[in-house]
Amino acid sequence: MDVDGEAPPPVVANAGKSSTQSGGGAGGAGSIDFVHLQPMHLDQVNALLRLQFWPGIDVSDHLGYPDFTVVALYKRLVVGCALMTASGYVTYVAVRSGWRRAGIARFMVYQLLKSNPTRDVTLHVSANNPAMILYQSFGFKAEEFVLNFYDKYLPPESCECKNALLVRLRR
């Protein structure tokens, strides 16, 4: 059973949500497919992450361990991605604006956790990011408050919170 009480697909695959259920899209019924990161997704994934986080992000190194990646697609549009290292560190979770609050991030995190069932999983999350509620729902616990964690990523004039929480899901 998944966190919503439904049996998840046996592999990263179609989640069966229509575009109206997913909160966006180009009109008409469709589904969101969840796949592993492939070279053809790289430009869109990097663009989404740069828009959501900071300039200069390049996740091409994640192509080397695709089992620890999830890309959410509506037709050929990347609407979300979640990436983790083989050692269990979640590097990014992002959902395109207009597609949020539809369970996409929840499903992607669930898939990442399934790909690494015996190791602890960690991540850093901005101290004021409401995604912390999502992570807590999976059992992540805050272990450390990291002052100025995002200083090296965000421009000095950024109004974004530069402090982070290191959170861990113990296995």
Side-chain angles (χ1 to χ4, degrees), residues 80-150:
C81 63
L83 309 166
M84 180 171 67
T85 66
S87 63
Y89 181 78
V90 176
T91 53
Y92 299 103
V93 176
V95 175
R96 184 180 295 276
S97 178
W99 292 82
R100 297 182 185 138
R101 301 186 122 354
I104 296 170
R106 176 174 298 282
F107 189 82
M108 292 188 304
V109 170
Y110 174 77
Q111 291 297 329
L112 287 183
L113 296 177
K114 277 183 31 179
S115 72
N116 196 352
T118 58
R119 288 182 165 223
D120 285 6
V121 176
T122 59
L123 61 92
H124 285 91
V125 59
S126 179
N128 64 351
N129 189 333
M132 184 60 187
I133 296 167
L134 170 67
Y135 303 133
Q136 287 176 321
S137 75
F138 282 103
F140 283 85
K141 304 279 188 226
E143 287 195 343
E144 182 182 349
F145 181 79
V146 184
L147 195 61
N148 299 318
F149 177 80
Y150 294 107

Side-chain angles (χ1 to χ4, degrees), residues 36-43 45-46 58-69 71 83-84:
H36 294 300
L37 180 66
Q38 299 169 35
M40 66 184 169
H41 305 131
L42 203 52
D43 288 343
V45 167
N46 283 335
D58 178 7
V59 296
S60 55
D61 57 327
H62 284 274
L63 290 169
Y65 37 96
D67 289 349
F68 302 104
T69 67
V71 175
L83 309 166
M84 180 171 67

